[in-house]
Amino acid sequence: MDYLEIEGGHKLKGSVTISGAKNAALPIIAATLLSDKDVKLTNLPNVVDIRTLLKLLTMLGGDVKHNDTVADINNAGINSTKAVYEIVSQMRASILVLGPLLTRFKHCEVSLPGGCAIGQRPIDMHLKALEQMGAIIEIKGGYVRAEAPNGLMGAKIEFDKITVGGTENVVMAAALANGTTTIMNAALEPEVVQLCEMIRDAGVDIQGIGTSELTIVGTNGVPLEFKTTDIIPDRIEAGTYLCAAAITHSDITLKKVNIEHIKSPIAKLEKMGCTFDVENDNITIHSPEVIKPTHLITTEYPGFPTDMQAQFMAVATIADGESIIEERLFENRFMHVSELNRLGADIWLKGSLAAVHGVKELNGADVMATDLRASSALVLGALAANGITNVRRIYHLDRGYDNLEGKLSLLGAKITRKKD
Ligand code: EPZ
């Protein structure tokens, strides 16, 4: 199994180009199922999750040509509507094919995603919304079996809680439904916005993009014709590199960033003592020798993202004082805490709160990655720690960070991928 050997204690310098956003690309790849024409996607991140979803399209009968950052997809030949366990168990975002498959083909089976390292992550709100649109759904043999013999109908959906994937599934389902769907309490994440814009640019009337109330007028079964879609920059990858600079007291430049999308992490880093220069889509971070502690609460966009919680906790481990971090979105997203403590951090947990007492130094150790963002927090800790850290189970990192060790090496980090 691959692991990363990192010699910590070195400053970073230079610049890094941010890749396309995994979490924008995944629903957009699923949305190509709404079309029976050629679709071109550009600026895809070169990560395992993207390859997994493209493989699923191929298994369903889609024609996919994929070359690192570009995919040419044609879903005219779809001859199966079953998303099998083998794929869904590798990546729960495969549930995003449920809405598009059901609305275009009127029936589908999607393996029920199981538990997850960061929480229970049910899909009840996805299913309830589709039922409101007329779907008949049963869970049998570990699969969600859904049918809508006369097609889905527009409906008034109000999510009890903001859900990114739920909003995306319903937007896609509504695009080919019969009539108008209104989604209240919709997610505002930039990834949801890009999906809506792609569907709008294919001719679907969508009002309220970027707000919590979306209105979508469906095409009544007529497949869409998409324009080429260039995936937005990955705000979580960008935030992770900003944290890499902060934890190593370095100045680096990030290229191809959408600054609007990372306002909340930037504001936190400013309070921790970092300063920034912004020029078009480039941002340079200047990090102080002494990082101030922070107080943060994860919440939905435009609030502080849960996908940045672990990385900020890594930075807080070396701050001058006590930081308080509250995780409000997922019930089990603190798996990195015990591993950061193995590096000498001093973190205490109580329910959804973590108290991080800043320490003078971290020291290298063997640590184990548990999920994607927890893994990146361990890499950050390792960059700051004295001596060698081996980060194991990095298949989590490979799912969502494009060439992490290559990009960090270019910034001057001493990081090598090794095999056991
Ligand atoms: C998306 O997951 C992201 N994944 C996650 O990123 C991210 O952490 C999350 O949104 C929150 O921002 C993708 O975009 C592929 P949710 P998603 O539905 O859509 C609960 C990463 O590291 N909920 O907004 O699955 C749920 O349990 C990943 O890149 C229900 O209770 O998240 C959670 O507590 C990890 N019932 C909350 O809502 C439902 O039916 C928000 O989840 C759906 C969700």
Side-chain angles (χ1 to χ4, degrees):
M1 214 182 273
D2 289 5
Y3 67 97
L4 289 177
E5 184 187 272
I6 300 170
E7 185 188 294
H10 302 285
K11 285 210 181 204
L12 305 179
K13 60 177 187 313
S15 61
V16 60
T17 301
I18 299 305
S19 298
K22 165 185 83 82
N23 289 349
L26 291 171
I28 281 173
I29 291 170
T32 66
L33 286 163
L34 298 170
S35 174
D36 58 0
K37 303 279 191 312
D38 289 342
V39 190
K40 189 188 256 316
L41 306 179
T42 57
N43 200 34
L44 291 168
N46 195 357
V47 297
V48 170
D49 273 9
I50 298 301
R51 294 195 281 278
T52 304
L53 193 56
L54 291 172
K55 182 175 168 199
L56 175 58
L57 289 190
T58 310
M59 288 168 79
L60 298 177
D63 179 21
V64 176
K65 293 182 187 67
H66 179 215
N67 182 4
D68 294 347
T69 59
V70 178
D72 289 290
I73 301 170
N74 186 305
N75 286 324
I78 296 288
N79 51 24
S80 161
T81 57
K82 182 168 182 175
V84 294
Y85 175 73
E86 178 200 342
I87 296 286
V88 182
S89 59
Q90 287 173 41
M91 187 187 63
R92 25 179 326 113
S94 321
I95 194 66
L96 291 169
V97 300
L98 177 64
L101 280 178
L102 180 60
T103 200
R104 181 163 158 218
F105 300 100
K106 301 186 170 54
H107 62 88
C108 67
E109 281 182 69
V110 179
S111 176
L112 198 58
C116 169
I118 64 175
Q120 195 191 351
R121 302 186 75 186
I123 54 159
D124 56 313
M125 293 193 282
H126 302 229
L127 302 186
K128 191 173 151 203
L130 292 173
E131 280 174 339
Q132 283 177 264
M133 297 175 77
I136 302 158
I137 295 180
E138 66 167 352
I139 311 277
K140 211 169 177 185
Y143 278 78
V144 177
R145 296 183 181 180
E147 57 176 41
N150 301 316
L152 291 174
M153 290 163 313
K156 211 169 171 180
I157 312 291
E158 181 163 8
F159 285 120
D160 295 334
K161 194 171 168 183
I162 296 174
T163 161
V164 173
T167 304
E168 291 165 344
N169 242 332
V170 174
V171 166
M172 291 186 278
L176 302 197
N178 179 8
T180 301
T181 299
T182 307
I183 307 175
M184 279 164 294
N185 209 18
L188 309 181
E189 270 67 4
E191 296 77 18
V192 176
V193 169
Q194 189 174 33
L195 174 70
C196 291
E197 287 173 346
M198 178 203 192
I199 292 174
R200 179 200 60 198
D201 292 348
V204 175
D205 179 4
I206 304 189
Q207 302 293 327
I209 295 178
T211 75
S212 57
E213 186 169 327
L214 292 167
T215 307
I216 304 132
V217 184
T219 65
N220 197 9
V222 180
L224 306 182
E225 194 165 342
F226 289 116
K227 298 194 173 129
T228 296
T229 300
D230 191 53
I231 304 298
I232 57 172
D234 193 318
R235 63 194 168 101
I236 307 301
E237 188 195 23
T240 304
Y241 283 100
L242 294 179
C243 287
I247 200 170
T248 54
H249 313 288
S250 306
D251 298 353
I252 62 170
T253 298
L254 275 52
K255 294 184 171 169
K256 273 185 92 175
V257 179
N258 187 325
I259 312 294
E260 271 298 304
H261 295 169
I262 52 171
K263 271 174 139 174
S264 167
I266 287 176
K268 286 289 171 207
L269 284 168
E270 276 176 338
K271 286 199 171 140
M272 294 168 90
C274 300
T275 58
F276 294 89
D277 296 326
V278 175
E279 202 189 327
N280 303 320
D281 59 356
N282 296 344
I283 184 166
T284 301
I285 176 170
H286 306 278
S287 313
E289 283 309 313
V290 178
I291 293 282
K292 291 183 204 152
T294 188
H295 184 184
L296 61 88
I297 298 173
T298 66
T299 179
E300 295 87 357
Y301 189 85
F304 188 87
T306 174
D307 291 346
M308 286 302 309
Q309 179 256 106
Q311 301 89 317
F312 268 73
M313 191 180 293
V315 180
T317 62
I318 53 126
D320 184 24
E322 186 185 72
S323 300
I324 301 289
I325 295 180
E326 183 174 351
E327 172 57 56
R328 287 218 183 141
L329 285 190
F330 292 107
E331 65 275 17
N332 192 27
R333 209 170 195 182
F334 279 140
M335 302 279 276
H336 42 282
V337 167
S338 47
E339 299 301 298
L340 287 172
N341 282 347
R342 287 176 59 75
L343 296 176
D346 183 8
I347 309 170
W348 293 86
L349 279 181
K350 189 157 191 222
S352 61
L353 284 178
V356 187
H357 306 277
V359 294
K360 291 255 173 305
E361 56 178 28
L362 299 175
N363 288 298
D366 279 298
V367 290
M368 201 181 286
T370 47
D371 83 80
L372 175 58
R373 310 304 170 185
S375 318
S376 65
L378 301 182
V379 171
L380 297 181
L383 291 175
N386 298 319
I388 302 284
T389 296
N390 295 311
V391 181
R392 298 186 184 276
R393 300 206 181 164
I394 55 164
Y395 51 84
H396 292 291
L397 281 172
D398 294 336
R399 289 184 50 185
Y401 282 96
D402 188 349
N403 188 22
L404 180 73
E405 73 265 27
K407 291 187 183 187
L408 282 172
S409 294
L410 276 177
L411 291 170
K414 305 272 179 267
I415 177 167
T416 320
R417 182 179 286 253
K418 295 200 159 179
K419 279 190 192 303
D420 275 325

